[in-house]
Amino acid sequence: MLILVPIKRVVDPYAVVRPLPDGSGMDTAGQKFDINPFDEIALEEAVRLKEAGSADRIVAVSWGGSECEDQLRKALAMGADEALLFEAEDLDPSVIAAELQALVAELQPGLILMGKQDTDTDHGQTPPMLAALTGLPLASYAARITISGGSAEVVRETDSGEETVTVPLPAIISADLRLNEPRYIALPGIIKARSKPLTRRDRLTTAAGRTRVVAYAPPPDREPGRRVASVEELAEAIQAKGVLA
Amino acid sequence: MKTIALALQPSDLAVLGGACGADSEAILLTGAPEASFGFTTIHCTGWESLPPADEAARALADLVRGADRLIAVTSMAARELVPGLAAHAGAACLSDVVEILSETRFRRPIAAGAAFAEVEVDGPVFFTIRPSGFPAAEPTGEASVADLALPAPGLERITVAAARRVGRPDLARAKVVVSGGKPLGDSETFERVIGGMADALGGAVGATRAAVDSGIAANELQVGQTGKVVAPDLYIAAGISGSTQHMAGIKDSKVIVAINKDADAPICSQADLVLVADLFEAVPALQKLLASR
Protein backbone atom coordinates (compact mmCIF):
# COMPACT_ATOMS: atom_id res chain seq x y z
CA MET A 1 0.00 0.00 0.00
CA LEU A 2 1.17 3.50 -0.89
CA ILE A 3 0.69 6.24 1.71
CA LEU A 4 0.63 9.84 0.50
CA VAL A 5 1.64 12.47 3.07
CA PRO A 6 1.25 16.18 2.24
CA ILE A 7 3.84 18.39 3.95
CA LYS A 8 3.57 22.14 4.55
CA ARG A 9 6.53 24.36 5.34
CA VAL A 10 5.62 26.67 8.24
CA VAL A 11 7.49 29.11 10.42
CA ASP A 12 8.66 27.51 13.69
CA PRO A 13 5.38 27.16 15.62
CA TYR A 14 7.15 28.00 18.88
CA ALA A 15 8.60 31.26 17.59
CA VAL A 16 6.87 34.56 18.32
CA VAL A 17 6.01 36.02 14.94
CA ARG A 18 4.50 39.46 14.46
CA PRO A 19 2.93 41.28 11.52
CA LEU A 20 5.20 43.61 9.54
CA PRO A 21 4.68 47.28 10.48
CA ASP A 22 2.99 48.01 7.13
CA GLY A 23 0.65 45.04 7.55
CA SER A 24 1.70 43.48 4.25
CA GLY A 25 2.69 40.16 5.76
CA MET A 26 4.14 38.39 8.78
CA ASP A 27 7.70 39.24 9.80
CA THR A 28 9.46 35.90 9.38
CA ALA A 29 12.95 37.34 8.83
CA GLY A 30 15.54 35.30 10.69
CA GLN A 31 13.00 32.70 11.77
CA LYS A 32 13.48 28.96 11.44
CA PHE A 33 11.06 27.00 9.31
CA ASP A 34 9.96 23.44 9.85
CA ILE A 35 7.43 20.83 8.78
CA ASN A 36 3.97 21.79 10.05
CA PRO A 37 3.80 19.82 13.35
CA PHE A 38 0.58 18.02 12.43
CA ASP A 39 2.05 16.97 9.06
CA GLU A 40 5.09 15.66 10.92
CA ILE A 41 2.81 13.55 13.12
CA ALA A 42 1.04 12.25 9.99
CA LEU A 43 4.39 11.33 8.42
CA GLU A 44 5.59 9.63 11.60
CA GLU A 45 2.43 7.52 11.60
CA ALA A 46 2.98 6.59 7.95
CA VAL A 47 6.54 5.49 8.77
CA ARG A 48 5.30 3.40 11.69
CA LEU A 49 2.65 1.78 9.48
CA LYS A 50 5.37 0.92 6.96
CA GLU A 51 7.62 -0.45 9.71
CA ALA A 52 4.69 -2.60 10.88
CA GLY A 53 4.21 -3.98 7.36
CA SER A 54 0.91 -2.21 6.63
CA ALA A 55 2.43 -0.04 3.91
CA ASP A 56 5.27 -0.52 1.45
CA ARG A 57 5.88 2.99 0.13
CA ILE A 58 5.54 6.54 1.41
CA VAL A 59 5.43 9.58 -0.85
CA ALA A 60 5.76 13.00 0.77
CA VAL A 61 4.50 15.94 -1.25
CA SER A 62 4.64 19.70 -0.89
CA TRP A 63 3.53 22.79 -2.78
CA GLY A 64 5.61 25.95 -2.74
CA GLY A 65 9.01 27.28 -3.76
CA SER A 66 12.44 25.63 -3.75
CA GLU A 67 12.80 26.46 -0.03
CA CYS A 68 10.34 23.62 0.69
CA GLU A 69 13.09 21.17 -0.29
CA ASP A 70 14.45 21.54 3.26
CA GLN A 71 11.26 20.16 4.75
CA LEU A 72 11.00 17.41 2.14
CA ARG A 73 14.62 16.35 2.85
CA LYS A 74 13.66 16.06 6.48
CA ALA A 75 10.59 14.02 5.48
CA LEU A 76 12.87 11.68 3.51
CA ALA A 77 15.16 11.40 6.52
CA MET A 78 12.19 10.49 8.72
CA GLY A 79 11.34 7.61 6.42
CA ALA A 80 9.50 8.79 3.30
CA ASP A 81 10.72 6.88 0.23
CA GLU A 82 10.21 9.65 -2.28
CA ALA A 83 9.37 13.36 -2.27
CA LEU A 84 7.53 15.51 -4.78
CA LEU A 85 7.65 19.30 -4.89
CA PHE A 86 5.11 21.15 -7.02
CA GLU A 87 6.01 24.73 -7.84
CA ALA A 88 3.17 26.91 -6.56
CA GLU A 89 2.62 30.34 -5.07
CA ASP A 90 -1.06 30.23 -4.19
CA LEU A 91 -1.40 27.93 -1.19
CA ASP A 92 -5.12 28.47 -0.53
CA PRO A 93 -6.55 25.23 0.92
CA SER A 94 -8.95 24.90 -2.02
CA VAL A 95 -5.97 24.96 -4.40
CA ILE A 96 -4.04 22.36 -2.42
CA ALA A 97 -7.14 20.16 -2.24
CA ALA A 98 -7.59 20.38 -6.02
CA GLU A 99 -3.90 19.61 -6.59
CA LEU A 100 -4.07 16.68 -4.18
CA GLN A 101 -7.17 15.38 -5.95
CA ALA A 102 -5.17 15.23 -9.20
CA LEU A 103 -2.21 13.60 -7.47
CA VAL A 104 -4.45 11.01 -5.82
CA ALA A 105 -5.84 10.14 -9.26
CA GLU A 106 -2.29 9.70 -10.54
CA LEU A 107 -0.74 7.75 -7.65
CA GLN A 108 -3.82 5.86 -6.38
CA PRO A 109 -2.62 5.78 -2.75
CA GLY A 110 -4.32 3.43 -0.30
CA LEU A 111 -4.14 6.09 2.38
CA ILE A 112 -3.73 9.85 2.47
CA LEU A 113 -2.37 10.73 5.91
CA MET A 114 -2.28 14.45 6.60
CA GLY A 115 -2.14 16.99 9.41
CA LYS A 116 -5.51 18.20 10.68
CA GLN A 117 -4.44 21.85 10.22
CA ASP A 118 -1.36 23.97 9.84
CA THR A 119 -0.01 26.25 12.52
CA ASP A 120 0.34 29.38 10.40
CA THR A 121 -3.13 29.89 8.91
CA ASP A 122 -4.93 27.61 11.40
CA HIS A 123 -7.50 26.83 8.70
CA GLY A 124 -7.81 23.03 8.87
CA GLN A 125 -9.67 22.84 5.57
CA THR A 126 -7.65 20.67 3.21
CA PRO A 127 -8.61 17.18 4.53
CA PRO A 128 -12.41 17.73 4.36
CA MET A 129 -12.10 19.52 1.02
CA LEU A 130 -10.07 16.63 -0.41
CA ALA A 131 -12.69 14.18 0.86
CA ALA A 132 -15.44 16.16 -0.88
CA LEU A 133 -13.50 16.34 -4.15
CA THR A 134 -12.38 12.69 -4.25
CA GLY A 135 -15.38 11.07 -2.59
CA LEU A 136 -12.98 9.16 -0.33
CA PRO A 137 -14.06 8.56 3.28
CA LEU A 138 -12.58 10.91 5.89
CA ALA A 139 -11.55 10.19 9.47
CA SER A 140 -10.41 13.47 11.05
CA TYR A 141 -8.52 14.24 14.25
CA ALA A 142 -7.02 10.74 14.57
CA ALA A 143 -5.56 9.76 17.93
CA ARG A 144 -4.96 6.06 17.03
CA ILE A 145 -4.92 4.18 13.73
CA THR A 146 -5.11 0.42 13.17
CA ILE A 147 -4.96 -0.97 9.63
CA SER A 148 -6.34 -4.42 8.92
CA GLY A 149 -7.87 -6.20 5.95
CA GLY A 150 -8.53 -3.24 3.70
CA SER A 151 -9.92 -0.92 6.33
CA ALA A 152 -8.68 1.47 8.99
CA GLU A 153 -10.01 1.65 12.52
CA VAL A 154 -9.50 5.17 13.79
CA VAL A 155 -9.96 6.46 17.31
CA ARG A 156 -10.69 10.13 16.73
CA GLU A 157 -11.07 13.17 18.93
CA THR A 158 -14.41 14.95 18.83
CA ASP A 159 -15.94 17.93 20.61
CA SER A 160 -17.26 15.70 23.37
CA GLY A 161 -14.62 12.97 23.68
CA GLU A 162 -13.27 10.08 21.64
CA GLU A 163 -15.16 8.00 19.11
CA THR A 164 -14.06 5.02 17.05
CA VAL A 165 -14.77 4.84 13.34
CA THR A 166 -13.97 2.22 10.73
CA VAL A 167 -13.36 3.43 7.18
CA PRO A 168 -12.70 1.32 4.10
CA LEU A 169 -9.43 2.04 2.26
CA PRO A 170 -8.56 4.08 0.30
CA ALA A 171 -9.31 6.79 2.82
CA ILE A 172 -8.19 10.17 4.11
CA ILE A 173 -7.07 10.36 7.73
CA SER A 174 -6.08 13.61 9.43
CA ALA A 175 -3.69 13.50 12.36
CA ASP A 176 -4.30 15.14 15.72
CA LEU A 177 -1.72 15.93 18.40
CA ARG A 178 -1.85 12.70 20.32
CA LEU A 179 -1.43 10.25 17.45
CA ASN A 180 2.29 9.86 18.18
CA GLU A 181 5.53 11.64 19.06
CA PRO A 182 7.55 12.15 15.88
CA ARG A 183 11.09 10.79 15.93
CA TYR A 184 14.00 13.17 16.22
CA ILE A 185 16.13 13.48 13.12
CA ALA A 186 19.65 14.81 13.55
CA LEU A 187 21.36 16.71 10.75
CA PRO A 188 23.50 13.72 9.58
CA GLY A 189 20.31 11.79 8.96
CA ILE A 190 18.99 14.58 6.75
CA ILE A 191 22.24 14.65 4.78
CA LYS A 192 22.18 10.87 4.36
CA ALA A 193 18.66 11.08 2.93
CA ARG A 194 20.03 13.05 -0.02
CA SER A 195 20.30 9.81 -1.98
CA LYS A 196 16.51 9.44 -1.93
CA PRO A 197 14.60 10.93 -4.87
CA LEU A 198 13.17 14.45 -4.59
CA THR A 199 11.45 15.46 -7.81
CA ARG A 200 10.35 18.96 -8.76
CA ARG A 201 7.33 19.14 -10.99
CA ASP A 202 4.91 21.67 -12.43
CA ARG A 203 1.53 22.14 -10.83
CA LEU A 204 -1.13 19.63 -11.79
CA THR A 205 -4.13 21.96 -12.08
CA THR A 206 -5.00 25.56 -12.83
CA ALA A 207 -7.13 25.88 -9.68
CA ALA A 208 -7.10 29.41 -8.27
CA GLY A 209 -7.70 30.35 -4.66
CA ARG A 210 -10.93 32.05 -3.69
CA THR A 211 -9.49 33.89 -0.70
CA ARG A 212 -6.58 36.30 -0.31
CA VAL A 213 -5.21 38.04 2.75
CA VAL A 214 -5.09 41.79 2.16
CA ALA A 215 -3.75 42.93 5.54
CA TYR A 216 -2.20 41.60 8.73
CA ALA A 217 -2.68 43.39 12.04
CA PRO A 218 -1.46 42.68 15.56
CA PRO A 219 -4.08 41.54 18.07
CA PRO A 220 -5.47 44.28 20.31
CA ASP A 221 -3.51 44.75 23.53
CA ARG A 222 -5.17 43.66 26.73
CA GLU A 223 -5.36 46.18 29.54
CA PRO A 224 -2.41 45.68 31.88
CA GLY A 225 -3.22 43.26 34.68
CA ARG A 226 -3.13 43.75 38.39
CA ARG A 227 -1.27 41.73 41.04
CA VAL A 228 -3.30 40.95 44.12
CA ALA A 229 -1.68 40.10 47.43
CA SER A 230 -4.12 37.61 48.89
CA VAL A 231 -6.96 35.22 48.14
CA GLU A 232 -9.34 37.66 49.86
CA GLU A 233 -8.24 40.51 47.65
CA LEU A 234 -8.61 38.26 44.58
CA ALA A 235 -12.15 37.23 45.54
CA GLU A 236 -13.13 40.89 46.01
CA ALA A 237 -11.53 41.88 42.70
CA ILE A 238 -13.36 39.11 40.82
CA GLN A 239 -16.68 40.16 42.34
CA ALA A 240 -15.98 43.81 41.52
CA LYS A 241 -15.57 42.85 37.85
CA GLY A 242 -19.18 41.67 37.86
CA VAL A 243 -18.42 38.51 35.89
CA LEU A 244 -20.13 36.07 38.24
CA ALA A 245 -23.85 35.51 37.81
CA MET B 1 -27.86 37.86 -0.69
CA LYS B 2 -28.96 34.35 0.24
CA THR B 3 -27.57 33.40 3.64
CA ILE B 4 -27.90 29.98 5.21
CA ALA B 5 -27.17 29.44 8.89
CA LEU B 6 -25.91 25.92 9.53
CA ALA B 7 -26.66 25.02 13.15
CA LEU B 8 -25.11 21.76 14.30
CA GLN B 9 -27.11 21.94 17.53
CA PRO B 10 -30.01 24.09 18.80
CA SER B 11 -27.74 26.33 20.90
CA ASP B 12 -25.98 27.51 17.71
CA LEU B 13 -29.17 29.24 16.53
CA ALA B 14 -28.92 32.23 18.90
CA VAL B 15 -25.32 32.97 17.83
CA LEU B 16 -26.13 32.52 14.15
CA GLY B 17 -29.24 34.68 14.43
CA GLY B 18 -26.98 37.51 15.55
CA ALA B 19 -24.49 36.96 12.70
CA CYS B 20 -26.94 36.44 9.83
CA GLY B 21 -29.01 39.24 8.34
CA ALA B 22 -32.82 39.37 8.23
CA ASP B 23 -34.54 36.96 5.84
CA SER B 24 -32.00 34.22 6.46
CA GLU B 25 -32.88 30.57 6.73
CA ALA B 26 -31.32 28.02 9.00
CA ILE B 27 -30.59 24.32 8.71
CA LEU B 28 -30.58 22.57 12.07
CA LEU B 29 -28.74 19.24 12.05
CA THR B 30 -29.63 17.83 15.47
CA GLY B 31 -32.34 18.57 18.03
CA ALA B 32 -35.31 20.93 17.80
CA PRO B 33 -35.30 24.76 17.83
CA GLU B 34 -36.53 26.57 20.95
CA ALA B 35 -37.47 29.77 19.07
CA SER B 36 -37.07 31.41 15.68
CA PHE B 37 -34.08 33.66 16.60
CA GLY B 38 -35.09 35.79 13.62
CA PHE B 39 -34.87 33.04 11.00
CA THR B 40 -37.69 32.91 8.46
CA THR B 41 -37.56 29.12 8.36
CA ILE B 42 -35.58 26.52 10.28
CA HIS B 43 -35.11 23.36 8.24
CA CYS B 44 -34.57 20.37 10.52
CA THR B 45 -32.83 17.19 9.40
CA GLY B 46 -34.13 15.27 12.39
CA TRP B 47 -30.74 13.58 12.88
CA GLU B 48 -30.22 12.10 16.32
CA SER B 49 -26.48 12.60 16.11
CA LEU B 50 -24.00 14.00 13.61
CA PRO B 51 -22.99 11.63 10.81
CA PRO B 52 -19.34 11.51 9.66
CA ALA B 53 -18.46 14.94 8.25
CA ASP B 54 -17.77 13.81 4.67
CA GLU B 55 -21.05 11.91 4.52
CA ALA B 56 -22.95 14.85 6.07
CA ALA B 57 -21.39 17.25 3.55
CA ARG B 58 -22.45 15.06 0.65
CA ALA B 59 -25.99 14.74 2.03
CA LEU B 60 -26.34 18.52 2.48
CA ALA B 61 -24.54 19.62 -0.70
CA ASP B 62 -27.64 20.13 -2.83
CA LEU B 63 -29.34 22.15 -0.08
CA VAL B 64 -26.50 24.67 0.27
CA ARG B 65 -25.41 25.00 -3.35
CA GLY B 66 -26.38 28.44 -4.60
CA ALA B 67 -26.13 30.14 -1.21
CA ASP B 68 -24.06 33.34 -1.17
CA ARG B 69 -23.12 32.74 2.43
CA LEU B 70 -23.19 29.80 4.77
CA ILE B 71 -22.33 30.41 8.41
CA ALA B 72 -21.76 27.89 11.21
CA VAL B 73 -20.54 28.27 14.78
CA THR B 74 -16.99 26.99 15.07
CA SER B 75 -16.30 23.61 16.69
CA MET B 76 -14.24 20.58 15.70
CA ALA B 77 -17.31 19.20 13.93
CA ALA B 78 -18.11 22.46 12.10
CA ARG B 79 -14.48 22.92 11.07
CA GLU B 80 -14.58 19.60 9.17
CA LEU B 81 -18.12 19.95 7.82
CA VAL B 82 -18.05 23.49 6.39
CA PRO B 83 -14.92 23.07 4.18
CA GLY B 84 -16.46 19.92 2.71
CA LEU B 85 -19.65 21.83 1.90
CA ALA B 86 -17.60 24.67 0.39
CA ALA B 87 -15.76 22.20 -1.84
CA HIS B 88 -19.03 20.62 -2.99
CA ALA B 89 -20.57 24.05 -3.70
CA GLY B 90 -17.47 25.68 -5.18
CA ALA B 91 -17.50 28.38 -2.51
CA ALA B 92 -14.63 30.14 -0.75
CA CYS B 93 -14.05 28.95 2.79
CA LEU B 94 -12.85 30.64 6.00
CA SER B 95 -12.41 29.20 9.48
CA ASP B 96 -12.94 31.08 12.75
CA VAL B 97 -14.13 34.44 11.47
CA VAL B 98 -14.32 37.01 14.29
CA GLU B 99 -15.68 39.97 12.32
CA ILE B 100 -17.58 40.53 9.09
CA LEU B 101 -16.06 43.71 7.62
CA SER B 102 -18.06 43.89 4.39
CA GLU B 103 -19.83 41.60 1.93
CA THR B 104 -16.47 40.32 0.74
CA ARG B 105 -14.07 41.06 3.59
CA PHE B 106 -13.59 39.18 6.86
CA ARG B 107 -11.27 39.21 9.86
CA ARG B 108 -9.86 36.04 11.38
CA PRO B 109 -6.99 35.16 13.73
CA ILE B 110 -3.94 33.32 12.38
CA ALA B 111 -0.75 31.80 13.82
CA ALA B 112 -2.23 31.03 17.25
CA GLY B 113 -3.65 34.53 17.54
CA ALA B 114 -0.31 36.24 16.83
CA ALA B 115 -2.10 38.32 14.21
CA PHE B 116 -5.45 39.03 12.62
CA ALA B 117 -5.73 38.60 8.87
CA GLU B 118 -8.14 40.63 6.77
CA VAL B 119 -9.26 38.30 4.03
CA GLU B 120 -10.96 39.23 0.77
CA VAL B 121 -13.07 36.54 -0.88
CA ASP B 122 -14.40 36.07 -4.40
CA GLY B 123 -17.96 34.88 -4.87
CA PRO B 124 -19.92 32.81 -2.38
CA VAL B 125 -18.26 32.13 0.97
CA PHE B 126 -18.87 29.44 3.58
CA PHE B 127 -17.35 30.08 7.00
CA THR B 128 -17.32 29.30 10.69
CA ILE B 129 -17.50 32.06 13.29
CA ARG B 130 -16.26 32.40 16.83
CA PRO B 131 -19.30 33.17 18.99
CA SER B 132 -17.48 35.81 21.06
CA GLY B 133 -17.44 38.19 18.09
CA PHE B 134 -21.19 38.14 17.55
CA PRO B 135 -23.93 39.23 19.97
CA ALA B 136 -26.54 36.50 20.40
CA ALA B 137 -30.01 37.01 18.90
CA GLU B 138 -33.07 37.26 21.14
CA PRO B 139 -35.17 34.08 21.17
CA THR B 140 -38.05 35.87 19.45
CA GLY B 141 -41.15 34.12 18.21
CA GLU B 142 -42.04 30.57 17.50
CA ALA B 143 -39.91 29.03 14.79
CA SER B 144 -41.33 28.17 11.42
CA VAL B 145 -40.01 24.64 11.17
CA ALA B 146 -39.69 22.58 8.00
CA ASP B 147 -38.76 18.92 8.13
CA LEU B 148 -36.12 17.91 5.63
CA ALA B 149 -36.66 14.17 6.12
CA LEU B 150 -33.02 13.55 5.19
CA PRO B 151 -31.63 10.15 6.20
CA ALA B 152 -28.49 10.34 8.39
CA PRO B 153 -25.75 8.78 6.22
CA GLY B 154 -22.71 6.75 7.24
CA LEU B 155 -23.61 6.16 10.89
CA GLU B 156 -22.55 2.50 10.53
CA ARG B 157 -18.96 3.77 10.33
CA ILE B 158 -19.08 4.90 13.95
CA THR B 159 -18.42 1.77 15.99
CA VAL B 160 -17.88 3.41 19.39
CA ALA B 161 -19.65 6.74 19.90
CA ALA B 162 -18.18 9.45 22.12
CA ALA B 163 -19.73 9.55 25.55
CA ARG B 164 -22.11 12.47 25.85
CA ARG B 165 -21.03 15.19 28.20
CA VAL B 166 -23.17 15.38 31.29
CA GLY B 167 -23.51 17.86 34.10
CA ARG B 168 -21.09 20.65 33.34
CA PRO B 169 -21.70 23.35 30.73
CA ASP B 170 -20.18 23.20 27.26
CA LEU B 171 -16.58 24.42 27.52
CA ALA B 172 -16.75 26.45 24.31
CA ARG B 173 -19.83 28.40 25.49
CA ALA B 174 -19.45 28.52 29.27
CA LYS B 175 -19.63 31.85 31.14
CA VAL B 176 -17.05 30.60 33.63
CA VAL B 177 -14.13 28.30 32.86
CA VAL B 178 -11.71 26.94 35.45
CA SER B 179 -8.58 25.41 33.93
CA GLY B 180 -5.65 23.54 35.38
CA GLY B 181 -2.18 22.61 34.25
CA LYS B 182 0.30 19.83 34.84
CA PRO B 183 1.13 20.91 38.42
CA LEU B 184 -2.21 19.39 39.47
CA GLY B 185 -0.30 16.10 39.39
CA ASP B 186 -2.96 13.43 38.89
CA SER B 187 -6.52 13.09 37.61
CA GLU B 188 -8.14 12.75 41.05
CA THR B 189 -6.49 15.93 42.30
CA PHE B 190 -7.35 17.71 39.06
CA GLU B 191 -11.00 16.74 39.38
CA ARG B 192 -11.16 17.66 43.07
CA VAL B 193 -9.41 21.05 42.83
CA ILE B 194 -10.33 22.26 39.32
CA GLY B 195 -13.62 20.37 38.98
CA GLY B 196 -14.66 21.44 42.48
CA MET B 197 -14.02 25.10 41.72
CA ALA B 198 -15.85 24.85 38.39
CA ASP B 199 -18.89 23.25 40.01
CA ALA B 200 -18.99 25.86 42.77
CA LEU B 201 -19.18 28.59 40.10
CA GLY B 202 -21.42 26.68 37.68
CA GLY B 203 -18.59 26.67 35.17
CA ALA B 204 -16.81 24.35 32.77
CA VAL B 205 -13.46 22.64 33.24
CA GLY B 206 -10.51 23.24 30.92
CA ALA B 207 -6.93 22.00 30.80
CA THR B 208 -3.58 22.66 29.18
CA ARG B 209 -2.05 20.43 26.55
CA ALA B 210 0.57 19.34 29.11
CA ALA B 211 -2.16 18.29 31.55
CA VAL B 212 -3.94 16.33 28.81
CA ASP B 213 -0.75 14.74 27.50
CA SER B 214 0.23 13.56 30.96
CA GLY B 215 -3.17 11.92 31.45
CA ILE B 216 -4.40 14.27 34.17
CA ALA B 217 -7.29 15.63 32.11
CA ALA B 218 -9.42 14.32 29.24
CA ASN B 219 -8.56 15.24 25.63
CA GLU B 220 -11.74 17.21 25.01
CA LEU B 221 -10.88 19.59 27.84
CA GLN B 222 -7.79 20.96 26.10
CA VAL B 223 -7.93 24.71 25.62
CA GLY B 224 -5.68 26.41 23.07
CA GLN B 225 -4.74 26.78 19.43
CA THR B 226 -5.37 23.14 18.65
CA GLY B 227 -8.00 22.48 21.30
CA LYS B 228 -11.06 24.47 22.26
CA VAL B 229 -11.18 28.23 21.96
CA VAL B 230 -13.09 29.67 24.90
CA ALA B 231 -14.45 33.14 25.57
CA PRO B 232 -16.03 33.11 29.04
CA ASP B 233 -16.73 36.13 31.23
CA LEU B 234 -14.31 34.64 33.76
CA TYR B 235 -11.34 32.36 33.01
CA ILE B 236 -9.45 31.07 36.03
CA ALA B 237 -6.07 29.50 35.19
CA ALA B 238 -4.49 27.51 38.00
CA GLY B 239 -0.96 26.22 37.59
CA ILE B 240 -0.84 27.29 33.94
CA SER B 241 2.30 28.96 32.63
CA GLY B 242 0.58 30.48 29.60
CA SER B 243 2.23 29.17 26.43
CA THR B 244 1.42 30.99 23.17
CA GLN B 245 -0.65 27.98 22.13
CA HIS B 246 -2.71 28.09 25.33
CA MET B 247 -3.17 31.87 25.32
CA ALA B 248 -4.48 31.61 21.74
CA GLY B 249 -7.47 29.76 23.13
CA ILE B 250 -8.36 32.17 25.94
CA LYS B 251 -7.61 35.67 24.58
CA ASP B 252 -11.27 36.53 24.11
CA SER B 253 -12.11 35.91 27.78
CA LYS B 254 -13.44 39.03 29.54
CA VAL B 255 -11.46 38.52 32.73
CA ILE B 256 -8.46 36.20 32.99
CA VAL B 257 -7.35 35.23 36.49
CA ALA B 258 -3.98 33.55 36.95
CA ILE B 259 -3.06 31.66 40.09
CA ASN B 260 0.54 30.58 39.80
CA LYS B 261 3.50 29.93 42.07
CA ASP B 262 5.88 31.39 39.51
CA ALA B 263 5.61 35.20 39.31
CA ASP B 264 7.61 35.11 36.06
CA ALA B 265 5.25 32.74 34.22
CA PRO B 266 4.15 34.31 30.90
CA ILE B 267 0.50 34.21 31.94
CA CYS B 268 1.23 36.63 34.81
CA SER B 269 1.95 39.40 32.31
CA GLN B 270 -1.21 38.72 30.31
CA ALA B 271 -3.86 38.00 32.93
CA ASP B 272 -6.17 40.69 34.34
CA LEU B 273 -5.79 39.50 37.91
CA VAL B 274 -2.72 37.67 39.15
CA LEU B 275 -2.23 35.92 42.46
CA VAL B 276 1.22 34.50 43.04
CA ALA B 277 0.47 31.59 45.35
CA ASP B 278 0.40 27.83 45.76
CA LEU B 279 -2.70 26.74 43.86
CA PHE B 280 -3.42 23.88 46.28
CA GLU B 281 -4.06 26.45 49.01
CA ALA B 282 -5.36 29.35 46.96
CA VAL B 283 -7.93 27.59 44.78
CA PRO B 284 -9.93 25.94 47.60
CA ALA B 285 -9.76 29.17 49.63
CA LEU B 286 -10.99 31.22 46.66
CA GLN B 287 -13.72 28.67 46.00
CA LYS B 288 -14.95 29.05 49.57
CA LEU B 289 -14.97 32.84 49.39
CA LEU B 290 -16.73 32.98 46.01
CA ALA B 291 -19.24 30.26 46.85
CA SER B 292 -20.33 32.09 50.01
CA ARG B 293 -20.65 35.49 48.33
Side-chain angles (χ1 to χ4, degrees):
Chain A
M1 180 174 73
L2 167 66
I3 304 181
L4 181 62
V5 184
I7 299 288
K8 186 176 184 187
R9 169 188 167 92
V10 298
V11 71
D12 174 7
Y14 297 101
V16 180
V17 182
R18 293 194 170 82
L20 290 164
D22 68 357
S24 64
M26 297 295 282
D27 184 2
T28 55
Q31 298 287 358
K32 277 193 312 181
F33 284 77
D34 207 339
I35 298 178
N36 171 42
F38 293 100
D39 299 346
E40 193 173 2
I41 293 169
L43 177 60
E44 172 67 31
E45 195 67 14
V47 175
R48 291 184 191 189
L49 287 171
K50 187 183 168 193
E51 285 168 351
S54 297
D56 45 36
R57 191 161 149 249
I58 300 167
V59 176
V61 57
S62 196
W63 279 262
S66 55
E67 65 279 2
C68 299
E69 286 189 8
D70 292 348
Q71 283 65 47
L72 288 172
R73 293 279 175 213
K74 182 175 173 186
L76 292 169
M78 283 179 67
D81 298 291
E82 182 187 342
L84 298 173
L85 174 56
F86 291 93
E87 310 274 344
E89 285 177 14
D90 186 349
L91 303 183
D92 189 78
S94 66
V95 173
I96 302 302
E99 290 279 315
L100 272 168
Q101 178 190 14
L103 188 60
V104 166
E106 178 187 318
L107 298 179
Q108 300 284 322
L111 183 61
I112 300 107
L113 241 170
M114 54 205 301
K116 70 163 181 172
Q117 70 178 68
D118 62 40
T119 53
D120 53 5
T121 73
D122 287 337
H123 260 313
Q125 296 174 354
T126 310
M129 283 180 167
L130 182 61
L133 295 178
T134 58
L136 295 176
L138 169 70
S140 312
Y141 317 131
R144 198 158 67 242
I145 300 171
T146 315
I147 305 280
S148 67
S151 66
E153 186 186 77
V154 179
V155 177
R156 58 186 294 268
E157 302 198 11
T158 74
D159 291 293
S160 56
E162 285 184 348
E163 72 176 20
T164 308
V165 298
T166 303
V167 287
L169 300 176
I172 301 161
I173 300 179
S174 80
D176 213 322
L177 268 183
R178 279 168 277 274
L179 183 56
N180 59 51
E181 289 256 357
R183 64 197 64 192
Y184 174 74
I185 302 293
L187 193 59
I190 296 175
I191 293 166
K192 231 165 75 186
R194 284 193 178 276
S195 57
K196 289 184 177 176
L198 192 166
T199 312
R200 286 172 72 155
R201 291 175 55 180
D202 291 331
R203 269 186 57 175
L204 297 165
T205 73
T206 54
R210 300 182 180 97
T211 71
R212 63 187 180 280
V213 179
V214 290
Y216 296 84
D221 284 330
R222 287 188 76 91
E223 296 280 310
R226 180 183 138 205
R227 298 257 163 144
V228 293
S230 67
V231 174
E232 289 74 18
E233 198 188 327
L234 179 59
E236 278 170 28
I238 290 172
Q239 296 205 53
K241 294 269 189 192
V243 287
L244 284 173
Chain B
M1 187 168 65
K2 185 183 175 190
T3 301
I4 295 178
L6 183 71
L8 275 61
Q9 51 189 342
S11 60
D12 290 351
L13 287 168
V15 180
L16 294 170
C20 295
D23 297 331
S24 301
E25 298 188 1
I27 300 174
L28 176 60
L29 298 186
T30 61
E34 288 150 19
S36 81
F37 296 100
F39 292 109
T40 53
T41 309
I42 300 177
H43 303 271
C44 296
T45 59
W47 293 345
E48 282 186 24
S49 59
L50 284 178
D54 56 310
E55 294 273 9
R58 196 176 304 134
L60 297 166
D62 285 340
L63 289 167
V64 302
R65 206 170 279 129
D68 298 300
R69 265 186 192 175
L70 177 138
I71 312 180
V73 178
T74 196
S75 65
M76 292 175 79
R79 282 172 57 97
E80 62 168 333
L81 177 54
V82 172
L85 288 170
H88 280 296
C93 189
L94 298 171
S95 307
D96 296 317
V97 166
V98 293
E99 195 179 348
I100 299 172
L101 300 166
S102 76
E103 280 205 6
T104 58
R105 195 169 283 202
F106 302 84
R107 195 193 306 280
R108 59 178 302 271
I110 59 166
F116 283 91
E118 265 185 38
V119 191
E120 187 76 21
V121 302
D122 301 322
V125 56
F126 290 10
F127 57 99
T128 60
I129 56 169
R130 290 207 178 156
S132 57
F134 300 88
E138 294 297 323
T140 46
E142 201 173 315
S144 160
V145 174
D147 285 324
L148 286 170
L150 205 62
L155 289 177
E156 71 284 351
R157 249 197 239 164
I158 303 169
T159 51
V160 184
R164 280 166 195 264
R165 196 185 302 111
V166 283
R168 289 180 184 139
D170 181 0
L171 180 56
R173 314 283 175 87
K175 296 280 180 210
V176 175
V177 174
V178 184
S179 280
K182 206 176 169 187
L184 270 302
D186 59 68
S187 55
E188 288 81 32
T189 312
F190 186 92
E191 174 55 28
R192 177 168 49 79
V193 176
I194 303 299
M197 180 76 165
D199 290 344
L201 300 178
V205 171
T208 61
R209 177 184 171 184
V212 172
D213 283 351
S214 54
I216 299 169
N219 292 355
E220 64 271 21
L221 301 184
Q222 184 178 324
V223 172
Q225 181 187 18
T226 64
K228 300 248 163 57
V229 172
V230 300
D233 292 338
L234 175 62
Y235 187 85
I236 299 179
I240 291 177
S241 66
S243 69
T244 309
Q245 283 71 20
H246 187 76
M247 297 309 292
I250 70 170
K251 275 183 177 150
D252 294 331
S253 307
K254 279 206 188 97
V255 175
I256 298 173
V257 173
I259 299 173
N260 207 300
K261 230 164 40 177
D262 176 8
D264 296 324
I267 199 168
C268 293
S269 61
Q270 298 182 63
D272 301 287
L273 294 168
V274 178
L275 176 65
V276 177
D278 178 12
L279 77 92
F280 295 102
E281 290 168 15
V283 173
L286 181 66
Q287 180 182 331
K288 223 166 142 187
L289 287 170
L290 292 178
S292 64
R293 72 196 185 276

